[in-house]
Amino acid sequence: RTQKTRLIFECATELMEYNRVGSFSMASAGDGPSGPPPAVKAVLSKFSSGREEDKLAGYLELLKVGPELLKFVPGEKAGDLRTWMEAYRYWNQGGLSNVRSMLQLLVLKTRKNAAAAANAGDLSLPELVVTPATGLLHPLLFDESGSMAYASDPKSYMDWRLSSACAKSAKERKFPLAPDDAPRVALLLYRKHVITGQRYIADLIRAMEAEGLMPVPVFINGVEAHAIVRDWLTSDREVEKVNSGAATREPTYKPNEAAEVDAVVNTIGFPLVGGPAGSMEAGRNVDLSSKLLSDMDVPYVVASPLLLQSITTWKECGVLGLQSVVLYSLPELDGAVDTVVLGGLVGDKIALVPERVRKLAGRLNGWVGLRRTPVKDRRISVVLYGFPPNVGAVGTAALLDVPSSLDNLLKRLDKEGYNVGKYASDPNSSGESLVAALSVLCENAVIAGGFERMQSAVEVRMERARGGDPTVAETLARPGGGLGGAVVKGANVEFDDLENMLGKYMARKVRRAWPESERGPGVNAKNEMVVSGLQLGNVFVTVQPLLGVEGDPMRLLFERDLTPHPQYCAAYKYMQSGEDEGGAGSQAVVHLGMHGTVEWLPGQPLGNDRQSWSDELLGSLPNVYVYAANNPSESILAKRRGYGTLVSYNVPPYGRAGLYLELASLKDLVNEYRSDSAESRADLREAILAQCERTGLTSDISPPGDDADDESFDDYVTSLSNYLVELEERLFSSGLHTLGDAPTDSELASYLNAYFAGRLNDGEVEDVVRQSRVQRERTDGNALNVPAFLAWLADLAGGGATEDAGGEVSDEKASLMQEGLEVVDLLKKNAEELNSVVTALDGGYVKPAPGGDLLRDGTSVLPTGRNIHALDPYRMPSAGASARGTRAADEIIRQHLEANGGVYPETVAVTLWGLDTIKTRGEAIAIVLALVGARAVREGTGRTVCFELIPLEELGRPRIDILASLSGIFRDSFANVVDLLDDMFERAATADESPNMNFIRKHAAELEAAGTERPAARLFSNPPGDYGSMVNEVVGTGDWEDEASLGEVWKSRNAYSYGRSEGGGGTKSGTSRPEVLNKLLATTERIVQEIDSVEYGLTDIQEYYANTGALKKAAENRKPIDKSTGKAQKVAVSVIEAFGGPRTDDCVPVRAVEEVLRIEYRSKLLNPKWRDAMLEQGSGGAYEVSQRMTAMIGWAATAEVDNFVFDQAAERYALDEEVAAKLQKNNPEAFKNVVRRLLEASGRGMWETDDETIEKLKSLYADADDLVEQVR
């Protein structure tokens, strides 16, 4: 019987099935139910509310009387269940005495010679020392005997806390008490720590009281957190909702025991529903927790000391592994914000860091302070972006029309009662005007003159605009400049003032990094830091300072010890300084768009401490961060390092590229060829080939030779036609999104066409949009009228629009059209974006939702206006991602074998990025596994526990070595995956296999023979705490000599190895291993890059060439010279477009990077349809064009950009007088950058063109330069 005993308590129900005592087992028998027999289950069912979420808490209730009831249930199994429950009761009560008693019980009841006594039920049990399952405590709360006492419910606790007895006790013990009107904060504590007398609990309560917060400290076992929120806690807003009928109470709510609170702090982590036992199926009860917290509408914060890490390890490496999942990943699914690490282990004790407790208190006071301040008196800062400098980037953000969004935000704030001055009532006010004025304040010459001259600088520019000066943004010619009464506000900040703001410790670090002789950007002629913005009533609108210095814009990220420059620090501290101190006095900041830089500042990768600059500069300021819904990767940094309460915004509508100009003419020729007789086709051959040559299509579809027969040319034309169809149907983002704007009917149709991808035709999509409009009109904008919808489908069937062969609407078609109506309904809720900003600024709770995009992730990412989060990293890769990744790897190998005479690649570099990992559920990880010859092993709960090597006999080919290039976000967010991959590479490197069949072992042995440490290191990234290759910064400034140098910049920034073996057990965050990286680069023959969305293609953002392109160049730098070309051997790049949702076939398209670049350029940058959509977006659209021209230089330097791309880019943007004039009018600096990049391409030998074109471009650049300088 002893061998049959297995006890598992307070854990996931999936794992609790392994419980066994004697004949009792919770495991299911075959297909039958698990657990005790039906009669016993009937008893158990009485101790739960019957709700799924309360089952675990029901176990605890059962412990009180269950063992006594089971005395009367006959049978051995019931007796053994009683033993299990009695053991559980001792374990649950905790403490040394109870644990000793539990062991004594088990020994007595499971020994064979005690069986009779056990069954008889007359065995004398040790005394149980009882602590309530839930209760409230306080260091001043004692019973009559002077022992620690517990309040039975929040109301009785608050009665005591506000009593004269409490005040008297505090005075006698010199215990600090918060005033009676202090913010009340529910503090969920782990009962086990109360039982074991962990000192940190009393210290935490004392510290919060001292910081002016009134904690309501509720201890729980861990599984009842949701029940506490539901039954014992409420808020003033929830009371208002219930009284008005906007919300209803759960039947379990206990009004005579509940208390109102202003915030909820969970010190346990894990999901709100189920706690540690609810964590095995991430997101299982998110809807429930979201409803509970939405009804309360108060901030939900997770803050805890680390229970799996020492304070020393945290300070050295940040929060690691499972601890990060407990504190961040899982609570974020419930909408948790502002996570603060309060301390950690010191030996076997849990200790607080007092400064971190003050940080938590400060942030809670910030949120509650917002709520308690009348709306008309709230002071808000709005931060826009202007990076990189001098290319028209002021007031831009990814996929967002910032000027229009700012306009919407200010008008909505006015509607809510905020003081925005005259902006909302001024018919001439414009977001474009505000951005134009802010651009003036960002000019170096204006900054040099100091703050006192800035108002006049803006007024002079307005006067020039009214006079028709073409060098000034036309929008400033409006009455009042279109500024809505905004005035310039700011200050010249001396370093002594900055020291007072920062404190001496952090100020000393800044002074050392930025001495008086090198103060950085943003200083005037007197070397004072200039902070400026526009004031509209109580709203201060400003531009985030540049991160570094001109020519070295990301300087501080090269070395971890460097700091933000003084003016950057001064800008954030100025926002928070009170008006009486000369500051903006802001109570909250809104970062408008994706993304800024404060969350990227030096400091802990995860788990801010006192020396993390984002922590220091944001202070206690609530941060409402408006972020693109389709980027759950980088948003993690904004949330975790930047304390961002995220509010997602939608992506712009999708457009089909169509065909244009030469491509449209070519399509006509192809169609004519295919429809004409054989005799007339011969005349079209030459025209088709000539048009293909002009459009560069000969690189994509190789033309047949001059002597090709008719059949060969017919095949060529067929391939050409298929390629043109693909181009025509190619998706792109059309324009930019405006925060809070609902899509128009035409935009809705474009979303639906992209979403259904042909499953509904154009007419059916139009029907869906039309019916949605009719239904919303009939229901005043509320939910869809289902009966009317069904009647509409019937009408359609009668008209034959959606009939099947039998004249009826097919079930499939009806289902698709209903799905379309649901998508439309969700898309029309874009107004919730502004609703959520208002909710956050009201100190409320913003609902959570997964980040992602509509095409791949479906409607789960809608509506926007949500606090987006990522996924549980312990479930990577998913089953679907594993299957798709394996198919992709097979295709990559097939293509390589075909191109290299059947020889396998020895090393393949795979980029692992946070964004595509989250959105594809880990496809790139699966590609790595498949190339190596490994597979994920999952435990019963679905979590990945290791990657096992597939035997070579089963694999049937060599194991391919991997250089895994990790983004900083992947490195920090998926530390568990990094550890598992590192373990896999270590085992592969030592596997008893032939080096000819295991290239990992082969290369590791060669490194080991050369005396290199850690020869199995394969996971490389930036230095700890740093992000980015910096190649895009170098390309942006133009400060690089040759293409090879870009590869070396990448190599220098990615030489740090990560994984379980770096320091042992994940206690070391990274080690520089350039020798191993050199070896892997030298043997790399192919690189793999996934693209995860339509919005961010290779040509749309700088990061792709700065990482994948530069990695390619770094590998080629280490290749021998190809005698046929006189250049280093090329390294191929395989690109996998992983957007558009799962495919129904087995095909995973893998293309060469050059092919993808041509497709993207033809469908977007060179496409007049895309261009015109961007030109309609004002300054932001012009900037988007400018940035893509810079990226084109980056790709030409690291891969290959065809000459026709530069030819047509020049024609479309610089040499077209109408387009050039519009670009220059919208954004002079952006237009100047367009022309500059074309000239740079010619000067660097990337583009061959005629002298006349170059002279025209030089003339345009000179004129543009003169205009920009005149503006300045």
Side-chain angles (χ1 to χ4, degrees):
R1 290 180 62 89
T2 303
Q3 293 178 351
K4 294 181 179 180
T5 301
R6 184 167 54 229
L7 304 177
I8 301 173
F9 302 139
E10 298 171 13
C11 197
T13 53
E14 296 93 334
L15 296 182
M16 289 183 70
E17 288 188 5
Y18 291 95
N19 271 295
R20 184 167 185 174
V21 177
S23 60
F24 164 72
S25 171
M26 287 192 179
S28 59
D31 295 330
S34 61
V40 177
K41 281 190 173 182
V43 176
L44 295 176
S45 67
K46 305 302 181 183
F47 295 90
S48 171
S49 66
R51 301 170 183 234
E52 170 68 24
E53 66 268 21
D54 289 344
K55 283 184 178 179
L56 292 165
Y59 278 119
L60 304 179
E61 291 297 316
L62 175 61
L63 293 181
K64 297 177 182 178
V65 296
E68 297 303 316
L69 291 175
L70 287 171
K71 287 182 180 180
F72 306 103
V73 179
E76 181 183 5
K77 192 170 185 179
D80 288 330
L81 171 59
R82 179 186 173 199
T83 300
W84 179 85
M85 294 187 65
E86 288 169 339
Y88 188 4
R89 184 161 55 173
Y90 284 115
W91 173 264
N92 178 263
Q93 290 299 327
L96 180 61
S97 174
N98 285 329
V99 173
R100 184 184 293 118
S101 297
M102 179 192 72
L103 296 174
Q104 181 181 350
L105 166 76
L106 291 171
V107 169
L108 289 173
K109 286 208 170 186
T110 58
R111 285 172 57 187
K112 291 182 180 180
N113 58 8
N119 288 331
D122 58 1
L123 194 66
S124 176
L125 298 180
E127 182 180 356
L128 181 69
V129 180
V130 177
T131 302
T134 57
L136 294 90
L137 76 163
H138 193 282
L140 297 178
L141 185 56
F142 301 98
D143 60 20
E144 294 178 357
S145 67
S147 300
M148 177 67 69
Y150 305 115
S152 59
D153 57 70
K155 186 178 184 304
S156 61
Y157 170 85
M158 288 305 303
D159 289 343
W160 166 83
R161 174 58 185 78
L162 297 173
S163 69
S164 57
C166 177
K168 179 181 178 183
S169 179
K171 185 175 182 180
E172 291 172 351
R173 292 170 170 79
K174 298 182 179 180
F175 190 99
L177 282 185
D180 288 355
D181 61 351
R184 299 178 183 182
V185 179
L187 195 62
L188 303 182
L189 301 167
Y190 195 27
R191 177 172 169 272
K192 279 287 193 296
H193 293 170
V194 174
I195 294 171
T196 54
Q198 291 288 346
R199 179 178 171 178
Y200 84 88
I201 291 178
D203 292 343
L204 178 59
I205 295 170
R206 181 187 183 98
M208 292 181 71
E209 293 269 17
E211 292 298 317
L213 296 172
M214 187 181 297
V216 182
V218 184
F219 59 81
I220 59 176
N221 285 283
V223 299
E224 324 94 314
H226 70 285
I228 299 300
V229 172
R230 183 189 66 202
D231 303 341
W232 267 4
L233 300 178
T234 188
S235 68
D236 55 352
R237 289 191 185 167
E238 187 173 28
V239 171
E240 290 175 8
K241 290 177 186 177
V242 171
N243 291 340
S244 68
T248 56
R249 296 283 190 195
E250 294 288 344
T252 54
Y253 178 68
K254 302 172 182 177
N256 296 327
E257 299 179 5
E260 288 187 15
V261 296
D262 298 296
V264 177
V265 175
N266 187 343
T267 71
I268 299 171
F270 295 101
L272 181 72
V273 179
S279 65
M280 291 301 175
E281 189 178 320
R284 176 163 51 189
N285 292 296
V286 165
D287 289 344
L288 172 63
S289 60
S290 178
K291 182 188 182 304
L292 293 175
L293 294 168
S294 293
D295 287 346
M296 284 192 68
D297 198 18
V298 298
Y300 175 58
V301 175
V302 169
S304 171
L306 303 176
L307 305 181
L308 305 174
Q309 273 183 250
S310 68
I311 291 178
T312 302
T313 303
W314 163 46
K315 293 286 187 179
E316 290 178 353
C317 307
V319 179
L320 301 171
L322 180 59
Q323 185 72 75
S324 69
V325 177
V326 171
L327 274 189
Y328 292 92
S329 301
L330 295 174
E332 285 167 359
L333 302 179
D334 294 327
V337 299
D338 284 15
T339 298
V340 179
V341 176
L342 299 178
L345 296 175
V346 177
D348 60 352
K349 301 293 184 183
I350 304 169
L352 298 180
V353 175
E355 180 273 329
R356 290 291 85 191
V357 180
R358 292 194 293 273
K359 169 62 65 174
L360 170 64
R363 297 206 62 80
L364 289 169
N365 274 315
W367 284 114
V368 178
L370 268 177
R371 166 171 252 154
R372 293 188 172 190
T373 301
V375 174
K376 65 182 178 63
D377 297 327
R378 290 179 192 163
R379 305 189 69 84
I380 308 297
S381 281
V382 179
V383 175
L384 313 185
Y385 313 125
F387 176 85
N390 304 324
V391 291
V394 173
T396 62
L399 308 177
L400 187 70
D401 184 338
V402 173
S404 298
S405 298
L406 178 60
D407 185 73
N408 279 3
L409 174 61
L410 290 169
K411 290 176 179 176
R412 176 60 184 273
L413 290 178
D414 175 78
K415 186 177 179 180
E416 295 293 328
Y418 287 80
N419 179 1
V420 299
K422 300 177 181 178
Y423 186 86
S425 60
D426 184 348
N428 297 298
S429 62
S430 159
E432 285 283 3
S433 291
L434 295 177
V435 168
L438 289 167
S439 297
V440 174
L441 303 184
C442 292
E443 295 170 9
N444 290 336
V446 174
I447 293 171
F451 164 72
E452 59 276 5
R453 298 185 182 179
M454 286 184 159
Q455 181 69 47
S456 62
V458 173
E459 291 171 355
V460 167
R461 215 61 61 84
M462 290 160 54
E463 186 65 32
R464 287 167 55 185
R466 287 192 289 269
D469 189 335
T471 68
V472 180
E474 186 179 35
T475 184
L476 291 176
R478 297 180 177 212
L483 300 180
V487 297
V488 177
K489 181 180 178 66
N492 298 320
V493 181
E494 297 182 356
F495 203 95
D496 287 346
D497 298 327
L498 179 61
E499 184 174 288
N500 292 334
M501 296 175 182
L502 286 175
K504 291 185 177 180
Y505 174 73
M506 297 301 268
R508 277 198 302 271
K509 296 180 72 171
V510 175
R511 195 186 294 272
R512 282 197 302 268
W514 303 87
E516 191 169 352
S517 60
E518 190 186 356
R519 279 286 153 83
V523 298
N524 61 20
K526 299 177 183 178
N527 225 17
E528 298 167 320
M529 287 73 78
V530 181
V531 179
S532 64
L534 298 174
Q535 190 74 33
L536 289 153
N538 288 337
V539 179
F540 178 64
V541 186
T542 187
V543 177
Q544 190 176 63
L546 301 178
L547 201 53
V549 298
E550 192 167 353
D552 191 3
M554 302 286 280
R555 171 190 164 186
L556 71 90
L557 293 188
F558 278 98
E559 299 178 36
R560 195 179 187 188
D561 292 338
L562 285 177
T563 74
H565 57 75
Q567 190 257 352
Y568 194 109
C569 300
Y572 273 89
K573 290 302 181 182
Y574 174 86
M575 292 181 215
Q576 298 166 63
S577 297
E579 281 198 291
D580 56 341
E581 300 171 333
S586 298
Q587 295 170 276
V589 59
V590 177
H591 284 90
L592 189 57
M594 181 184 78
H595 59 72
T597 54
V598 68
E599 67 267 25
W600 300 79
L601 296 178
Q604 291 290 5
L606 183 61
N608 286 342
D609 62 9
R610 175 70 176 85
Q611 299 185 54
S612 298
W613 277 101
S614 56
D615 183 274
E616 169 61 34
L617 296 187
L618 287 166
S620 299
L621 202 60
N623 180 12
V624 182
Y625 211 135
V626 179
Y627 219 94
N630 68 341
N631 194 347
S633 172
E634 291 179 317
S635 66
I636 290 175
L637 265 72
K639 184 192 293 273
R640 298 176 181 179
R641 301 184 88 232
Y643 297 115
T645 294
L646 303 179
V647 175
S648 62
Y649 59 85
N650 203 6
V651 299
Y654 299 103
R656 297 282 179 187
L659 297 178
Y660 52 88
L661 304 176
E662 303 93 337
L663 293 174
S665 299
L666 179 59
K667 180 184 179 182
D668 291 340
L669 288 171
V670 167
N671 289 340
E672 185 178 354
Y673 176 90
R674 300 178 77 179
S675 62
D676 279 1
S677 63
E679 292 77 14
S680 59
R681 284 182 178 182
D683 299 330
L684 293 171
R685 277 196 183 197
E686 187 174 341
I688 289 173
L689 291 172
Q691 194 75 321
C692 286
E693 187 68 36
R694 280 193 294 274
T695 56
L697 281 172
T698 52
S699 299
D700 299 281
I701 311 294
S702 298
D706 295 337
D707 58 348
D709 57 24
D710 289 348
E711 185 177 354
S712 297
F713 200 84
D714 287 351
D715 291 341
Y716 168 68
V717 170
T718 299
S719 298
L720 197 58
S721 177
N722 291 338
Y723 186 81
L724 289 174
V725 169
E726 181 180 1
L727 278 180
E728 192 171 14
E729 295 300 311
R730 185 86 175 178
L731 291 173
F732 62 78
S733 283
S734 181
L736 301 171
H737 175 69
T738 297
L739 188 71
D741 273 5
T744 64
D745 283 359
S746 63
E747 290 172 340
L748 287 170
S750 73
Y751 282 117
L752 291 178
N753 276 317
Y755 178 76
F756 286 109
R759 291 178 294 158
L760 291 180
N761 62 40
D762 290 347
E764 291 162 347
V765 165
E766 290 174 5
D767 284 338
V768 169
V769 173
R770 183 168 53 252
Q771 180 63 15
S772 172
R773 183 174 63 251
V774 170
Q775 286 303 313
R776 291 182 71 83
E777 290 170 355
R778 290 178 180 173
T779 58
D780 297 322
N782 294 322
L784 293 172
N785 185 318
V786 175
F789 165 67
L790 295 175
W792 166 63
L793 281 180
D795 290 341
L796 284 178
T802 59
E803 293 177 7
D804 61 15
E808 299 293 333
V809 176
S810 69
D811 290 342
E812 180 183 5
K813 188 67 69 173
S815 175
L816 288 175
M817 297 185 83
Q818 183 170 9
E819 184 181 357
L821 280 170
E822 292 168 355
V823 171
V824 168
D825 193 47
L826 291 169
L827 285 168
K828 282 183 172 290
K829 293 182 178 179
N830 280 1
E832 295 190 16
E833 296 169 354
L834 284 171
N835 294 349
S836 293
V837 173
V838 170
T839 295
L841 290 176
D842 211 22
Y845 170 82
V846 178
K847 293 179 181 178
D853 63 66
L854 177 64
L855 300 189
R856 182 175 186 94
D857 302 298
T859 56
S860 65
V861 302
L862 296 176
T864 45
R866 296 295 186 260
N867 187 0
I868 56 175
H869 56 73
L871 302 174
D872 182 353
Y874 278 80
R875 298 176 187 276
M876 299 284 186
S878 70
S882 294
R884 184 178 165 94
T886 298
R887 294 199 301 271
D890 291 343
E891 178 62 13
I892 290 165
I893 293 172
R894 187 197 66 77
Q895 291 183 12
H896 189 91
L897 293 174
E898 185 178 283
N900 293 272
V903 178
Y904 283 94
E906 291 206 359
T907 303
V908 171
V910 182
T911 58
L912 295 176
W913 287 10
L915 181 56
D916 70 62
T917 297
I918 292 169
K919 292 175 73 172
T920 68
R921 274 57 172 181
E923 282 180 16
I925 300 168
I927 291 172
V928 170
L929 299 182
L931 291 172
V932 169
R935 57 192 160 213
V937 176
R938 308 177 198 280
E939 62 184 9
T941 63
R943 292 194 165 198
T944 302
V945 293
C946 79
F947 300 137
E948 70 174 3
L949 297 176
I950 298 171
L952 286 176
E953 297 77 16
E954 180 182 342
L955 186 62
R957 61 163 173 82
R959 299 194 193 281
I960 295 169
D961 203 352
I962 299 292
L963 165 55
S965 173
L966 318 181
S967 73
I969 296 177
F970 183 96
R971 172 198 66 200
D972 297 341
S973 303
F974 299 100
N976 62 300
V977 176
V978 173
D979 284 350
L980 293 178
L981 287 171
D982 186 51
D983 173 66
M984 176 192 72
F985 286 123
E986 286 284 351
R987 285 183 281 111
T990 57
D992 186 13
E993 297 170 348
S994 167
N996 293 329
M997 291 296 290
N998 182 341
F999 298 138
I1000 303 169
R1001 183 184 180 193
K1002 175 183 177 181
H1003 298 156
E1006 291 168 354
L1007 284 164
E1008 188 173 18
T1012 305
E1013 292 185 357
R1014 276 273 286 138
R1018 294 296 183 272
L1019 302 147
F1020 286 85
S1021 187
N1022 313 132
D1026 279 2
Y1027 303 88
S1029 71
M1030 303 303 135
V1031 172
N1032 47 323
E1033 278 72 38
V1034 174
V1035 170
T1037 62
D1039 187 21
W1040 53 284
E1041 294 182 7
D1042 54 26
E1043 298 168 354
S1045 67
L1046 298 179
E1048 296 314 293
V1049 171
W1050 181 92
K1051 186 252 179 185
S1052 69
R1053 289 284 298 162
N1054 285 273
Y1056 277 75
S1057 165
Y1058 291 85
R1060 180 176 293 168
S1061 300
E1062 294 296 350
T1067 60
K1068 192 173 184 180
S1069 58
T1071 307
S1072 179
R1073 301 197 184 280
E1075 300 87 357
V1076 181
L1077 180 58
N1078 269 325
K1079 174 69 172 180
L1080 294 171
L1081 287 170
T1083 58
T1084 291
E1085 299 171 60
R1086 187 169 290 269
I1087 300 166
V1088 178
Q1089 172 70 64
E1090 278 207 316
I1091 303 175
D1092 58 78
S1093 69
V1094 170
E1095 298 82 23
Y1096 308 122
L1098 293 180
T1099 62
D1100 295 314
I1101 57 178
Q1102 313 298 316
E1103 284 73 17
Y1104 281 116
Y1105 77 77
N1107 289 280
T1108 304
L1111 166 56
K1112 177 181 190 293
K1113 191 56 61 178
E1116 290 172 349
N1117 288 349
R1118 287 151 181 81
K1119 296 296 182 187
I1121 299 298
D1122 186 333
K1123 293 180 181 179
S1124 64
T1125 63
K1127 297 181 179 179
Q1129 293 177 3
K1130 294 291 185 182
V1131 172
V1133 178
S1134 296
V1135 177
I1136 303 162
E1137 293 182 319
F1139 51 82
R1143 297 176 66 100
T1144 57
D1145 55 29
D1146 289 336
C1147 177
V1148 178
V1150 178
R1151 289 191 169 107
V1153 65
E1154 293 82 7
E1155 181 184 356
V1156 176
L1157 288 172
R1158 287 191 293 270
I1159 291 174
E1160 286 201 13
Y1161 283 129
R1162 289 188 178 110
S1163 59
K1164 289 186 271 193
L1165 186 67
L1166 305 182
N1167 187 345
K1169 187 176 178 182
W1170 181 92
R1171 176 198 65 189
D1172 295 344
M1174 282 301 174
L1175 289 178
E1176 292 301 315
Q1177 304 300 317
S1179 60
Y1183 171 71
E1184 292 294 329
V1185 172
S1186 168
Q1187 283 298 88
R1188 283 160 176 79
M1189 298 296 283
T1190 301
M1192 191 161 64
I1193 295 295
W1195 276 118
T1198 58
E1200 183 178 325
V1201 174
D1202 292 76
N1203 212 65
F1204 81 87
V1205 176
F1206 288 105
D1207 287 338
Q1208 294 183 25
E1211 292 169 10
R1212 304 282 194 274
Y1213 296 98
L1215 302 179
D1216 184 315
E1217 292 183 5
E1218 184 179 345
V1219 172
K1222 195 162 188 177
L1223 280 171
Q1224 197 160 41
K1225 175 184 173 182
N1226 287 345
N1227 194 325
E1229 286 190 326
F1231 176 70
K1232 178 184 172 183
N1233 187 63
V1234 168
V1235 181
R1236 171 194 170 191
R1237 296 306 177 186
L1238 290 168
L1239 289 171
E1240 182 180 2
S1242 174
R1244 292 187 183 274
M1246 301 169 174
W1247 174 35
E1248 293 181 6
T1249 189
D1250 56 78
D1251 293 341
E1252 182 182 356
T1253 298
I1254 295 300
E1255 289 306 314
K1256 287 180 181 178
L1257 291 173
K1258 286 181 177 178
S1259 177
L1260 282 171
Y1261 186 78
D1263 292 345
D1265 196 38
D1266 288 344
L1267 289 176
V1268 171
E1269 291 306 317
Q1270 287 178 46
V1271 169
R1272 291 175 178 170

